[in-house]
Amino acid sequence: MTLAILVVGSLLTVVLVSAAPRWLELRRARRRAQPAAHLHDELTGLPSRAWLHSRLDQVLARAKRHGFLTAVLVLDLDRFAAVNNRMGHEQGDQVFVLVARRLQELARTEDTVARLDGDQFVVLLEDVADPNSPARVAQRIIESFRTPLLLGENEVTVSLSIGVAICGSGDASPSDLLRDGSLAMQRAKQKGKARFESFDSESGQLAINRLILEARLRDAASEGELVVHYQPVVVLATREIVGMEALVRWQHPVQGLLSPDQFVPVAEEAGLIVQIDRWVLEHAGRFVARLDQQGLISPRFRLNVNVSVHNFGDRDFLEHIALTLARSGLAPERLVIEITETGQEIEPLTPGLEQLRLMGVGVALDDFGIGYSSLSRLRSLPVSVVKIDQEFVRGITEPSNFAIVHSITDLANVLGMEVIAEGIETQRQLELVRSAGCKRGQGYLFSRPVPEEQIGSILAQGSLSPRSGEGFHGSSTVQVPVSEIMPSAAQVPVTTAEH
Ligand code: C2E
Ligand code: MG
Ligand code: MG
């Protein structure tokens, strides 16, 4: 330490002047060892998004000078909301820590693992010599996560979807590269999760279109762009209409009428499906309550509404159903909530389904048979209706499909559940479905889904006849005039007995 005497004006000031090099060096060294908090993720200790951006800046500049490849793998945990719901946020956080640790174990010393935010991580691969190696790394990560993580004494299995983006000597910025990786990751999710996809500019464009769609979809309900079409459910023996299914469509201002397959998956990924399902429930509920007041539906007529399983993670979902029923004046017995039988576990939904049953609302298992469900699972689920997937009806002329339809129907009958066969298009399919024991169905043979204005007049007739033994063709979103669907009133036998 040195002593410096400064004379400022007439004042004598004594200042301690440190031996700058020594302590300044120490402080600088400490700073280097502990970068500013925002450069690290507190929970996992991994570098943060900010760190990653500045590192990528350097790496891309160097790669451009020397002609190296740089790759990012954007990783997203699959269905992490479900893990959080099941285990609670604290345990969920611990899962992040374990994921971070496993990724670090898998990475080479020259690679960096960073946490972007939430359940997204990035692996940065520098100086890549072989353009195929990032895909190999992605595959290794996916395979490694097949081994469960050990959280205390519990084993937790998580899977990841990964997007791979590689940059050569081009001018990509860190944001470009991360965006490309993220788009590829979303494609991996759409293609079934627990897999990786590499970015290519064509699919990138598709993904960008998807983002535009998503942005627009946020306002679709409030802008009045959603519409509901209705498809009758009939008693197969008599064609009496005993209900109808509400099917959402999006009247897109530029692209026209879009079918749910074009936007429901986007809405599910973007967390917008709960809002859409609520809107459909409310809208269709009011509509059916009006039909009831007008005396257009029989006492056993029911409205089927599709609801994504995401709704069950929403705390006030059941409350919303009760409120909708109260507001619309729709009797609970008139409502059936359809949930799709996919590969996902349905058992965690059981308490919610039980609640619906207590409220008097029916539950249908949609598209039954395509998921992993075994018939025996049916017994343990509080379900009142089973809807046989269209695939089996389409292929019902094959003995194996016929046998499946027969077994599902038999078991459902024993369990006191109602069975509806979906997608009946031809007279032959109708005959076979009936001889397999199925009593109710839907399909183009009877009617396509039609807009509100048309379903009113169809219901006024009470029943539907098949049109010259063959199904209708073309897109299901095309509006079919009533005359196309309805035979003349004189031909329609209005019956009530179910055979
Ligand atoms: P889903 O619930 O299984 O509905 C049956 C689908 O089959 C409908 O397609 C319907 O138009 C179509 N369909 C009916 N009869 C026939 C037939 O004879 N042949 C053929 N080939 N198809 C037939 P859509 O309206 O395009 O809906 C597709 C899926 O989108 C629905 O399958 C459902 O899972 C989902 N969805 C529709 N509306 C909603 C909604 O409001 N919320 C949610 N979360 N999902 C919805
Ligand atoms: Mg359905
Ligand atoms: Mg279905």
Side-chain angles (χ1 to χ4, degrees):
M1 190 181 295
T2 48
L3 203 62
I5 300 171
L6 301 176
V7 182
V8 182
S10 59
L11 285 174
L12 181 73
T13 312
V14 179
V15 185
L16 281 177
V17 179
S18 301
R22 180 88 190 104
W23 68 264
L24 209 61
E25 262 308 300
L26 276 173
R27 202 164 76 185
R28 282 187 191 138
R30 223 176 294 134
R31 272 218 189 120
R32 272 199 301 275
Q34 295 175 332
H38 76 285
L39 294 181
H40 268 73
D41 168 48
E42 266 185 38
L43 178 69
T44 59
L46 293 179
S48 67
R49 180 191 284 273
W51 185 95
L52 183 68
H53 267 262
S54 83
R55 178 73 192 163
L56 264 173
D57 252 336
Q58 298 164 11
V59 172
L60 289 174
R62 200 189 55 204
K64 195 174 170 192
R65 273 199 310 277
H66 302 291
F68 294 141
L69 296 176
T70 308
V72 291
L73 312 186
V74 176
L75 307 93
D76 191 286
L77 290 177
D78 295 326
R79 303 188 186 97
F80 195 71
V83 175
N84 251 344
N85 283 345
R86 206 170 52 233
M87 303 172 52
H89 284 275
E90 256 173 46
Q91 299 275 64
D93 278 355
Q94 287 317 304
V95 173
F96 285 144
V97 175
L98 294 176
V99 169
R101 220 176 280 159
R102 181 159 301 173
L103 290 174
Q104 280 178 310
E105 282 162 17
L106 290 165
R108 304 171 308 175
T109 39
E110 60 270 38
D111 303 334
T112 312
V113 181
R115 184 172 177 214
L116 276 190
D117 35 35
D119 55 354
Q120 285 201 353
F121 296 83
V122 165
V123 178
L124 165 63
L125 310 177
E126 298 179 27
D127 306 344
V128 176
D130 174 1
N132 295 318
S133 76
R136 282 199 295 271
V137 176
Q139 188 56 36
R140 207 168 61 228
I141 293 175
I142 283 161
E143 277 163 18
S144 127
F145 275 86
R146 293 202 183 121
T147 311
L149 301 164
L150 209 57
L151 183 58
E153 295 191 337
N154 297 326
E155 289 193 340
V156 186
T157 305
V158 292
S159 69
L160 295 157
S161 296
I162 305 180
V164 180
I166 304 178
C167 177
S169 52
D171 277 323
S173 69
S175 314
D176 290 341
L177 198 56
L178 289 172
R179 183 205 57 205
D180 293 351
S182 178
L183 292 173
M185 179 273 289
Q186 284 167 25
R187 205 151 50 90
K189 293 239 178 219
Q190 287 156 28
K191 286 194 166 179
K193 306 187 172 69
R195 55 182 290 148
F196 77 91
E197 284 294 314
S198 298
F199 177 82
D200 66 73
S201 48
E202 201 176 309
S203 63
Q205 194 50 51
L206 281 178
I208 288 169
N209 290 346
R210 185 186 146 101
L211 289 181
I212 295 169
L213 198 73
E214 178 185 319
R216 178 90 221 163
L217 187 56
R218 275 177 204 284
D219 300 321
S222 56
E223 298 282 328
E225 291 171 7
L226 295 183
V227 282
V228 183
H229 284 192
Y230 298 91
Q231 185 177 39
V233 176
V234 301
V235 172
L236 298 176
T238 61
R239 281 103 190 172
E240 181 205 356
I241 302 170
V242 283
M244 62 187 186
E245 178 172 8
L247 295 156
V248 71
R249 274 95 182 88
W250 178 13
Q251 188 65 59
H252 191 281
V254 181
Q255 297 176 30
L257 197 62
L258 301 182
S259 75
D261 291 338
Q262 290 168 283
F263 65 92
V264 164
V266 179
E268 290 194 323
E269 285 285 331
L272 298 169
I273 193 66
V274 171
Q275 188 193 331
I276 292 176
D277 285 351
R278 284 182 172 206
W279 181 87
V280 172
L281 182 64
E282 187 125 14
H283 186 85
R286 283 181 202 278
F287 178 55
V288 172
R290 271 205 310 280
L291 293 173
D292 199 4
Q293 282 157 15
Q294 291 164 6
L296 284 174
I297 52 180
S298 70
R300 62 173 174 166
F301 184 97
R302 287 193 287 173
L303 166 70
N304 286 25
V305 177
N306 293 282
V307 153
S308 156
V309 292
H310 291 258
N311 286 275
F312 287 81
D314 205 61
R315 274 215 202 122
D316 44 321
F317 168 58
L318 294 168
E319 203 179 311
H320 176 78
I321 293 195
L323 257 177
T324 305
L325 290 169
R327 276 203 295 253
S328 63
L330 186 73
E333 300 72 36
R334 290 237 186 251
L335 180 64
V336 178
I337 296 292
E338 292 196 3
I339 55 167
T340 298
E341 194 265 315
T342 59
Q344 268 167 281
E345 300 241 317
I346 317 182
E347 275 74 9
L349 311 183
T350 305
L353 300 179
E354 283 289 3
Q355 284 294 322
L356 286 174
R357 203 210 314 249
L358 288 176
M359 286 161 65
V361 173
V363 174
L365 211 47
D366 206 353
D367 304 338
F368 187 79
I370 48 161
Y372 305 141
S373 266
S374 64
L375 279 177
S376 60
R377 269 173 91 195
L378 259 190
R379 206 176 28 179
S380 56
L381 292 169
V383 163
S384 46
V385 182
V386 177
K387 298 188 76 173
I388 299 176
D389 189 61
Q390 315 196 355
E391 286 296 313
F392 301 114
V393 175
R394 192 170 302 129
I396 197 160
T397 47
E398 285 168 33
S400 58
N401 286 322
F402 181 84
I404 291 171
V405 176
H406 210 309
S407 328
I408 296 176
T409 309
D410 277 353
L411 182 66
N413 284 339
V414 168
L415 296 174
M417 297 170 181
E418 186 184 291
V419 183
I420 299 177
E422 293 189 285
I424 303 174
E425 294 186 357
T426 66
Q427 191 62 37
R428 180 89 186 114
Q429 287 167 350
L430 171 63
E431 281 157 14
L432 289 169
V433 162
R434 283 190 66 194
S435 64
C438 193
K439 296 201 173 62
R440 294 184 177 197
Q442 283 169 253
Y444 295 171
L445 182 63
F446 309 106
S447 167
R448 279 180 176 280
V450 294
E452 221 164 270
E453 314 79 79
Q454 291 178 26
I455 198 76
S457 40
I458 291 177
L459 290 172
Q461 311 282 339
S463 67
L464 286 163
S465 279
R467 179 172 166 262
S468 64
E470 284 305 322
F472 301 124
H473 301 286
S475 152
S476 68
T477 48
V478 169
Q479 301 185 3
V480 186
V482 188
S483 56
E484 280 275 287
I485 307 154
M486 297 289 303
S488 74
Q491 289 175 277
V492 179
V494 179
T495 38
T496 48
E498 187 163 343
H499 299 285

